[in-house]
Amino acid sequence: MPIRQPIVCVLGHVDSGKTSLLDVLRKTNVHVREAGGITQHIGASFFPVETLIQLIGPYMTSFKTGIEIPGLLIVDTPGHEAFTNLRRRGGSVADIAILVVNSLRGFEAQTFECLEILKARKTPFIVAVNQIDRVPGWKSTQGAPFLQSYAKQTSSVQQEVDNRLYHVMGDFSRLSFKTDRFDHIRDFTQNVALVPTSAKTSEGLAELVMVLVGLTQQFLKQRLQTADGPAKGAVLEVKEEPGLGMTLNAIVYDGTLRKDDLVVVGGKYGPITARVRTLLVPKPLDEMRDPRDKFVSVDCVYASAGVKLVAPDLEDALAGAPLLAVPHGEDVAKYCSLITEEVGRVRITKEIDGVIAKADTLGSLEAMAEILKANNVQVRSADVGDISKRDVIEASVVKQRDPLVGAILAFGVKALPDAEEEAEVTGVKIFREPIIYTLIDNYLKWVKDKRERKNEEEFDALVKPGKLMVLPDCIFRRAKPLVAGVEVQGGRIKPRVSLLRVEDASDVGEIQQVQDEGKAVSEARTGEQVAISMDKPIAGRHIFERDVLYVKVPEEHVKKLFANHLDDLTEAEIDVLKEYVKLMRKKTMFWGGMLPI
């Protein structure tokens, strides 16, 4: 079977140098013309074999059989957007990814997000450790391979480069990834390759392309085999073009797409069937999103290809949805049900208590769902589109049962005015962030804070264990109220708690006040000697000198302390609590239930 060109995605944090890196490869200057230098659109570039040979240059001798793939199709990604939309059943349309990490800043919020998504989609990747030209003292050689440039540096600069790489390796190691500099790796199935690069000086690009081509040839040959059947693809972007109307930017990863083909694509309200009117492609080494020449109309495209598709009724097509060409004479309904099933795996509604997830594209929604699942967060509803009043009402119903999941997580969408009003009235929290990882992280922090606050409130309301001894010669008043000097032998005592005698666990009454050197105090802890006053007991009848008394902790409170708050108690308090349970079990055998004492 013929081998298609691998589809490569470039991911990384904003400003890590993704577009600049591709610009150098493409010898275009898209980046300069874009707002703030950050990628605003989605596109793909085809790199034919001749270009790869030119880029790899001195390393061509390492390919004994030459370059066997027909080229590379590189998708330029704003953040994670294109990669998440390049979705297919069981993984990603992208065959391999380049993760760009800034050598000066290391891991950033979107780096973690990209890794989460790469892991969830099981996509192999290499790492471009970019901006090495900014390492203090680095002397650049324009366009040179990294190893050549590195050899020319002073030992202190080499040490600094190594330290930066070790720092990045450490970040990966904490996330259970084994990484190493590309030339130190013997087994690429066990280690992720780090390739130091500079988009500014083009250093390291030869090695980056070499490792990319080498890995795809060695490990992905089977995956790259393509059938000569009808096209399968994924929608990258739904875009209105002047004079053409609504168009689809799509990546075809298998088969052939022809003009006049009947295609089925996922839509907001169900599968959309349309007849392809025009297929537009850019010239090799040019960009779908920023071509210097206009698109060229073609009769057909073969996998892998980035193509702009013009057809009627595409207004409701979903970015990230699958695209299937229907073979001549086959039942369209069969393909519609395949699309419905695939989209239905991501757009879900369940009758469970969980969060509401809303996103701008199917790909973003799936990425959200995958990261939420990895963090054990239940999802009640996941859908594409703006937040509606109905979403807020659903969340408010859940909030009444479980306040921690009665929330809405929104990415790339806005709340409709009536939804904002409803959220204000019902107190439903709406989380919005421009980075999925940060969005979910903020929600998880909010949940943690709420749990801790609830935990603190519960702990504050519980009676804590305490043990005291009535000091000899320190009964200052015998009754009404009894006033005695005591020493706290463990735990804590405070006003309004009852005391029990150790001999028979009888209740001797409640502490009215605790005083230290004549001043009322709110509590006394282990080792402190204080005076207490009690209304009920009489000295010599209920309480005696050297009596040991325990704070009376209700059975329910004991269970909660053992179940949720052992970390909030001191070791001395835990010891007193265990002694107290043993005391109570002398009266009632299974008092407190199954406790770890």
Side-chain angles (χ1 to χ4, degrees), residues 100-153:
V100 184
V101 176
N102 184 306
S103 64
L104 307 177
R105 298 196 298 261
F107 270 42
E108 297 169 270
Q110 272 175 311
T111 317
F112 292 102
E113 178 179 323
C114 293
L115 276 170
E116 289 272 3
I117 298 165
L118 285 165
K119 243 185 343 187
R121 302 277 170 93
K122 300 181 177 65
T123 305
F125 64 96
I126 64 173
V127 182
V129 184
N130 199 28
Q131 299 189 6
I132 49 154
D133 58 288
R134 292 180 59 189
V135 170
W138 179 272
K139 289 187 169 48
S140 297
T141 308
Q142 189 69 34
F146 163 74
L147 292 176
Q148 205 173 298
S149 275
Y150 180 79
K152 292 179 183 175
Q153 308 302 321

Side-chain angles (χ1 to χ4, degrees), residues 278-289:
T278 315
L279 289 175
L280 299 171
V281 295
K283 292 175 181 175
L285 272 189
D286 219 332
E287 262 277 339
M288 271 170 87
R289 65 193 167 93

Side-chain angles (χ1 to χ4, degrees), residues 31-92:
H31 166 94
V32 173
R33 292 194 292 267
E34 285 188 354
I38 296 167
T39 312
Q40 303 289 352
H41 305 275
I42 293 168
S45 304
F46 173 61
F47 290 71
V49 173
E50 301 75 39
T51 309
L52 298 182
I53 291 169
Q54 190 187 330
L55 285 164
I56 292 169
Y59 292 107
M60 273 309 295
T61 51
S62 57
F63 292 96
K64 294 182 180 68
T65 55
I67 294 179
E68 296 166 34
I69 55 172
L72 291 174
L73 187 74
I74 299 192
V75 178
D76 186 6
T77 316
H80 62 277
E81 274 282 311
F83 183 73
T84 57
N85 284 336
L86 282 174
R87 42 183 306 287
R88 66 192 275 193
R89 191 170 198 133
S92 173

